[in-house]
Amino acid sequence: MTGAQPEEPTTTVPDFTSLHPSNDRYLLRNLLWCHACDVPMAPSQAPSFLGAPRPRTYHCPHGCRETILRAEIVEERAIAAAGERATIRDVAPLFMQSALELLIRQVRVASNDSDLVFHWRT
Ligand SMILES: [Zn+2]
């Protein structure tokens, strides 16, 4: 897996007729991996501060990260990246997780949050 060559961009139109609905708010539940530990990142919620809404986060189950990874930020980046490869703007939120799983094999996140590496399905 490491050392795999980045895939060439493809113009293949994915088969969105196979999408299935999901109420899972963590769009990258099965896709986001900790690059350092080579394990899936776990959905979680940050502790509440003074009654403010608890932000959705992902964390490495091995505890290698010291900073919180905000779910909205990484999910927006994944949607934006996927949108450069396929027309997903018409995909309803209920089907977005399925659409991302159709396009993305893995999103590997380094300890530096700005360093996301996408591995695409062909
Ligand atoms: Zn880790």
Side-chain angles (χ1 to χ4, degrees):
M1 187 65 68
T2 54
Q5 295 298 313
E7 292 153 19
E8 293 294 320
T10 176
T11 55
T12 303
V13 177
D15 179 16
F16 280 157
T17 60
S18 64
L19 297 185
H20 55 268
S22 170
N23 284 314
D24 187 358
R25 297 176 63 223
Y26 290 87
L27 296 178
L28 301 177
R29 179 184 297 276
N30 303 311
L31 299 177
L32 194 64
W33 284 60
C34 174
H35 185 69
C37 304
D38 199 28
V39 295
M41 302 282 281
S44 55
Q45 283 191 301
S48 178
F49 294 105
L50 302 174
R54 301 167 64 197
R56 291 185 306 116
T57 62
Y58 294 95
H59 72 274
C60 173
H62 291 189
C64 74
R65 302 177 56 85
E66 294 188 358
T67 58
I68 289 173
L69 182 59
R70 292 287 293 265
E72 286 87 354
I73 294 172
V74 67
E75 287 165 1
E76 281 177 12
R77 288 186 56 190
I79 290 171
E84 294 178 0
R85 298 177 65 91
T87 305
I88 62 169
R89 65 176 178 273
D90 296 332
V91 174
L94 202 59
F95 294 89
M96 187 56 78
Q97 184 187 62
S98 183
L100 291 177
E101 289 174 355
L102 194 65
L103 294 165
I104 300 171
R105 185 164 57 222
Q106 268 190 354
V107 183
R108 300 181 71 86
V109 56
S111 55
N112 176 354
D113 289 354
S114 66
D115 189 12
L116 296 182
V117 179
F118 291 87
H119 295 271
W120 303 97
R121 300 183 186 279
T122 51

